[in-house]
Every structure is written in structure tokens, then in C-alpha cells.
Amino acid sequence: MTTLDDDTSTTGPHADEEGAANPWATWLARHDVQPYQLARKAGWDAFVAAGPREDFATLTRTQMEGLGAGAREDYDEARMVWNANLPTIRTAQMASAFSLMGQVLASGRRDGDRLRGSVVIDAAPGLGKTTIATRFAKDFHRAQYRRHGPTTPEGHQRLPVAFVALTANMTLKTLNSKLLEFYGHPAAQRTTSTRLASLAVDCVVSCQTRLVVIDDLHFVDFAHRAGTEVSNHLKWLANEMPVTFVYTGVGLAAKKFFDEGLHGSDVVYAQTSRRATRCPVVPFSTTTAAGARAWVDLLAALEGHLKLAEARPGMLTDHADLLFARTQGHIASLTNLLDRACYLAITTGAERIDEAVLSHVVTDNAAQNSYAAAGQRLQPAAGR
């Protein structure tokens, strides 16, 4: 079942101050694009603490025509910010992933002398892996704050979650450095790899971190020596840190993450395969009645968020087949398409999303190529 995430639901109509000529400039000052740096504790805290943007009324064409130039420009900019930040939808994929992650996190209640499991969100690009991980971690972080408060008994800042984003050519030292950078440790770039690892463990223990999200693990090549070293180091961290790890990546099974780069009969010795639980994420599918309903439910939830003068129920669901063909059921491609469709609807004055507007939207390369290839395959059949 597709539902709106409570954390991102709107808060009701915005009550403009009496006589305010341009409330949208004020709205933008409060709610413009937020440059969260999730891989830094200040950025993560800001992300966790952020509430939903304040809602505001959608104007009619007549009301828009009565605005001055500056007010109209700010109103349109406010709408673009609003439309581009779609609510997080608890799709069946997200609900399934949350359920599995909750099961694995049950081992996080073990005492520090006992090993915990890990979650590996392993899926194709554009299916919301990072969104799933960060929203789950956000809920966990808030629950820990509510239960235990923002400081530890020793007076340290409590950081229930640490977020680490990997890059290409990862080594043991860069992995440890990135973990220390999250905590803002001054030695993150100034000491040996072994010392960095010890400092990272100290940060996790002192801040009572319970969940560590490592994003983009596919940057590590586990078939090579450096990748094997990283794999072994991750096992060491799991042994030393009283945390549950959540990994995200593309094609991690194919990249031999679970097998630790081992081959043949040696694969049975891979500890990671026994410690880690794979959490797949699949695109939407409309080949079944249930799948088609889930897709329509998603579109219905999203269309209610969009601020266009001629928006109406059915604006997206009436084009469910076309939107699926344009995105192949990938959530990232859908959000890209809707961002751009809203931009065109506002800047061209169409003030709605219809087939004419959608025909001018250029989406991400993968979605464009898949849609074009499907069209080419269908052309001969249409001519017969």
C-alpha cells in the first residue's frame, strides 16, 4: 500500500500576514533548498531535525495575473522549490525494506560482546536505495533522541547514526578518514591508518552511535587486493563497534561483496555472507493488477502535492501508462520527470501536466534511452 510518510506531510494552508504584498519571499527565506551534508554530523543533525515545509495556497490564474513582477517571480520560485521536493512515499518497496531492516536491527539490542548483523541494500540505480537507508536511519535517530536525550551520560554529543559516503579508489585510510570526518575529529587527515581506525572506534563508542550507514559501497572493487583489505576492515569494525551497519550499493553481489572476493570452494569461508543480509529493491511493475494499482497509488499521492494553477485529481494518474513508459518504474526517473514537467508547466504557462508538456520533458539518460528503444520496437508492429 502506498502512503505518505508522516514526516513529510504538509501542515495545512499558510496564513499570510494581513497586508503582506509578497509572502513568498519570506517563505523562500525559511524554506529554500537545504544543502544538507549528510556525511558531516552538523548536516546529518540538520536533516534529522528538519520538519516539513510550511504549506501555502496555490493561486488561480487570475490571482497570479494580479501579482507584481517581483511577487510573481518569488511565487513561481517557491512553487518550484515545493514541487521539486516531493514527499517521501512509503511504497511497498520501502515498507518491505523497512521491515527487513527492522528484523536485522533486532540484533542491535545485543550486548557489546556479541556480533550484530548488517543490511546490504543492493539494487540497480535509481530505485531509492539511499532514500530508504537515510529515512530508516532518520527514524532510528529520532527514536534514540526521544528515549535517551541529545547527550550521553558522560556528557558527549549523542550521535545515534553515522553516515559515510564512499568515493572511487577507496582504501583503508580513506574509509577511516571519512568516518572520522563525520564526527568532525581533527585528526581525520593527520595520522596513520591504524590510528585512524582506533579513533573511529572511540568516536562511535563515545557518541553512543548504534547505526552506521555506508553509502555507495559499489565504489569498492572486492575482486582486487585493496577491496579485500576494505572487506576485512569492515569485518574488524563490525567486531569492534557496537553498531549495526547498513550498506547501499549497485550490484554488490556481482562485485563479490558477500564472497569477500573469494572464488570457487573458498567462497564458503566468506564470513560476510553469513553476517550480512541482502535487501533487494525492485522497480515498479504494471504487469499485474496489484502492481498497476501500486503505480497509480504512487502517482495519486504525488499529484496531490504539486502546485499548479490547473492541477486536478487525475492529472498524473490519467497518464499512468505514459509515465511508466517514460520511467520504466524507477522512482528516481519519475521524480526527475515530474521536477522538469512542473518547471515547464510553470515557465510556459501551461499550469498543468499533460501529454503535451510531457512530450517536451527530457529525463535522465537511462530512462530516455529505454523509452526510445521501446518506441523503436513498437513501430513495426504499429505499421502492420
Side-chain angles (χ1 to χ4, degrees):
M1 183 176 183
T2 301
T3 60
L4 285 173
D5 190 322
D6 291 340
D7 183 57
T8 53
S9 61
T10 59
T11 58
H14 173 56
D16 299 335
E17 294 182 2
E18 188 69 21
N22 185 356
W24 304 288
T26 302
W27 187 92
L28 285 166
R30 296 173 179 168
H31 302 296
D32 207 349
V33 177
Q34 299 300 310
Y36 298 125
Q37 290 185 295
L38 300 184
R40 300 291 187 275
K41 65 178 181 179
W44 178 263
D45 273 350
F47 167 69
V48 169
R53 285 178 166 85
E54 188 178 14
D55 200 358
F56 60 92
T58 303
L59 303 184
T60 66
R61 285 187 181 274
T62 301
Q63 289 171 323
M64 287 191 293
E65 290 168 0
L67 297 177
R72 175 61 186 273
E73 181 180 341
D74 291 341
Y75 171 67
D76 286 348
E77 179 66 18
R79 287 196 294 162
M80 289 183 186
V81 171
W82 179 273
N83 292 338
N85 289 280
L86 295 167
T88 301
I89 306 298
R90 289 187 181 272
T91 61
Q93 291 91 329
M94 178 173 281
S96 176
F98 273 32
S99 176
L100 190 150
M101 293 165 76
Q103 293 177 51
V104 175
L105 198 62
S107 66
R109 296 173 177 84
R110 293 173 181 169
D111 295 333
D113 62 322
R114 300 171 185 270
L115 189 66
R116 293 158 175 77
S118 61
V119 181
V120 184
I121 305 177
D122 182 16
L127 295 178
K129 296 181 297 297
T130 300
T131 297
I132 289 171
T134 55
R135 269 51 181 188
F136 182 89
K138 182 177 186 177
D139 290 347
F140 178 81
H141 187 119
R142 286 181 165 182
Q144 291 289 303
Y145 259 38
R146 177 186 59 77
R147 190 171 297 127
H148 303 296
T151 57
T152 70
E154 294 76 22
H156 300 295
Q157 179 184 6
R158 186 184 304 279
L159 291 168
V161 175
F163 183 90
V164 179
L166 302 189
T167 58
N169 302 317
M170 288 299 300
T171 64
L172 297 187
K173 186 169 185 177
T174 52
L175 173 60
N176 291 327
S177 293
K178 284 187 172 295
L179 189 52
L180 284 180
E181 285 172 1
F182 175 85
Y183 291 95
H185 198 290
Q189 304 294 336
R190 299 202 306 265
T191 188
T192 65
S193 179
T194 302
R195 179 60 177 154
L196 286 172
S198 296
L199 291 173
V201 172
D202 289 344
C203 285
V204 164
V205 173
S206 297
C207 297
Q208 294 196 1
T209 301
R210 295 290 178 263
L211 191 69
V212 176
V213 179
I214 297 186
D215 197 27
D216 291 334
L217 190 61
H218 51 261
F219 281 123
V220 178
D221 187 350
F222 296 98
H224 287 76
R225 178 180 175 181
T228 301
E229 291 176 347
V230 170
S231 176
N232 289 332
H233 186 63
L234 289 173
K235 287 187 293 183
W236 180 83
L237 291 177
N239 290 336
E240 295 294 315
M241 295 178 173
V243 304
T244 299
F245 282 88
V246 175
Y247 304 106
T248 76
V250 176
L252 294 178
K255 288 179 175 292
K256 313 239 0 129
F257 168 68
F258 295 96
D259 299 337
E260 301 171 10
L262 299 174
H263 298 274
S265 59
D266 290 339
V267 168
V268 297
Y269 300 111
Q271 292 177 307
T272 299
S273 192
R274 289 291 180 180
R275 296 180 177 185
T277 301
R278 184 173 182 267
C279 178
V281 182
V282 298
F284 282 86
S285 172
T286 57
T287 57
T288 66
R293 280 196 304 272
W295 180 249
V296 171
D297 286 347
L298 172 65
L299 297 179
L302 294 177
E303 72 183 11
H305 177 83
L306 303 179
K307 292 189 178 297
L308 299 171
E310 295 189 12
R312 58 173 180 80
M315 181 176 67
L316 299 183
T317 57
D318 287 351
H319 303 289
D321 290 343
L322 175 59
L323 290 170
F324 185 86
R326 292 293 306 270
T327 64
Q328 300 86 53
H330 286 241
I331 192 71
S333 296
L334 177 64
T335 55
N336 284 338
L337 184 148
L338 294 181
D339 289 350
R340 299 170 195 190
C342 287
Y343 170 83
L344 290 176
I346 291 172
T347 56
T348 64
E351 289 295 336
R352 63 183 178 275
I353 295 177
D354 56 19
E355 193 167 346
V357 169
L358 291 172
S359 69
H360 289 90
V361 176
V362 179
T363 56
D364 59 87
N365 188 64
Q368 286 287 114
N369 288 344
S370 295
Y371 181 59
Q376 290 171 2
R377 287 196 299 270
L378 291 172
Q379 273 183 348
R384 285 200 292 267

